[in-house]
Amino acid sequence: MRRIVILTGAGISAESGVATFRDADGLWARYDWRALATPEAFAADPDAVHEFYNARRLQLPQVAPNAAHLALARLQRDYPGEVAIVTQNVDDLHERAGAAEVVHMHGELAKARCAACGAVVGWTGALSRADSCAACGAAGRMRPHIVWFGEIPHHMERIAALLAECDLFAAIGTSGAVWPAAGFVEAAREAGAETVELNLADSEISARFDETRRGPAGETVPRWVDELLAGEPVASA
Ligand code: APR
């Protein structure tokens, strides 16, 4: 039985209607991440940052998991070995597709965190400076539970342990533009894992993979999962 580690990026949610970051129509083509996705930005203009994440949080009920999210949940359920999903995405589409124990290294839109005491709570509506922490009572200190540029991604020890043990590493729908996620393929290779990239186009890290599969995740991921579940060898390039 192989231990599979899957890293997903914004591309897996694109067909669900969730904007990516670096595609031509992506968020960073329309907004300045320096003004919206850094601790300094939040200190300087918390209302603008809240507005940016509120719009994305309030979109979540309008979007649904696509065939790629559903296929990964099926793989976790039916594959006899361990299947870990590590995601850079902050949407809840993996969970809504039925995936378990999803490791959100960049945080989650559907949660808020108290900057005073660190308490993390589920949050589905708009968040603002008017909100107080239910745990410590601090007023105006609630922030999106999102890892901003310059902050340390979450669950890195767990991710390192998963990569050190994995036999098959797949990166789905990520540009490989942001570290440390962009380096996960190297850690997997050092562990002796087979590596496969599923993406619509070449990424910054495509050359590091044994195999690359091109096409929309909604088509490539279900086919890849069917092969794994049929026990067919995942052909390496
Ligand atoms: N199917 C498969 N891949 C797709 C699809 C699709 N339908 N649509 C786009 N892609 C691919 C693009 O080719 C690109 O490689 O998804 C990737 C999207 O790249 P980014 O927008 O950079 O998203 P991601 O790699 O997840 O960004 C990493 O950057 O801004 C930070 O925190 C943010 O988590 C994010 C991180």
Side-chain angles (χ1 to χ4, degrees):
M1 242 51 79
R2 288 195 286 187
R3 285 172 297 244
I4 303 176
V5 175
I6 298 163
L7 170 70
T8 63
I12 199 170
S13 297
E15 290 157 83
S16 296
V18 179
T20 64
F21 295 95
R22 292 173 185 79
D23 287 339
D25 58 347
L27 287 174
W28 301 148
R30 291 178 276 146
Y31 299 96
D32 176 6
W33 60 266
R34 293 166 190 80
L36 294 169
T38 65
E40 295 75 16
F42 188 59
D45 190 350
D47 295 340
V49 174
H50 276 311
E51 187 182 336
F52 176 64
Y53 288 97
N54 287 344
R56 295 169 64 198
R57 187 177 312 105
L58 292 168
Q59 183 204 23
L60 288 178
Q62 269 84 48
V63 296
N66 63 57
H69 297 105
L70 293 165
L72 292 188
R74 175 162 56 94
L75 182 67
Q76 265 193 332
R77 191 183 58 239
D78 299 344
Y79 189 73
E82 182 189 316
V83 178
I85 298 174
V86 176
T87 188
Q88 300 171 91
N89 299 343
V90 293
D91 62 54
D92 57 355
L93 295 176
H94 280 304
E95 289 85 351
R96 288 164 58 193
E101 294 177 41
V102 179
V103 181
H104 281 274
M105 64 181 289
H106 288 167
E108 298 176 68
L109 268 178
K111 291 181 179 169
R113 185 168 83 238
C114 175
C117 74
V120 175
V121 290
W123 206 281
T124 54
L127 185 61
S128 80
R129 280 191 290 170
D131 292 301
S132 300
C133 174
C136 75
R141 302 295 308 281
M142 296 306 284
R143 58 165 278 177
H145 185 50
I146 298 289
V147 176
W148 285 323
F149 288 101
E151 295 186 319
I152 310 289
H154 299 162
H155 311 300
M156 287 308 292
E157 282 184 26
R158 168 143 176 67
I159 295 168
L162 287 167
L163 293 170
E165 295 295 318
C166 80
D167 307 300
L168 176 59
F169 174 76
I172 302 173
T174 181
S175 62
V178 172
W179 291 76
F184 289 176
V185 60
E186 297 306 333
R189 294 177 70 89
E190 278 160 30
E194 199 173 318
T195 56
V196 56
E197 179 187 59
L198 294 88
N199 198 313
L200 198 54
D202 280 354
S203 74
E204 296 190 26
I205 50 176
S206 296
R208 305 306 303 143
F209 289 83
D210 300 315
E211 184 194 7
T212 54
R213 297 188 177 202
R214 289 286 169 265
E219 291 170 21
T220 60
V221 178
R223 194 175 312 132
W224 178 66
V225 166
D226 288 345
E227 281 177 31
L228 285 170
L229 291 178
E232 288 163 19
V234 180
S236 56

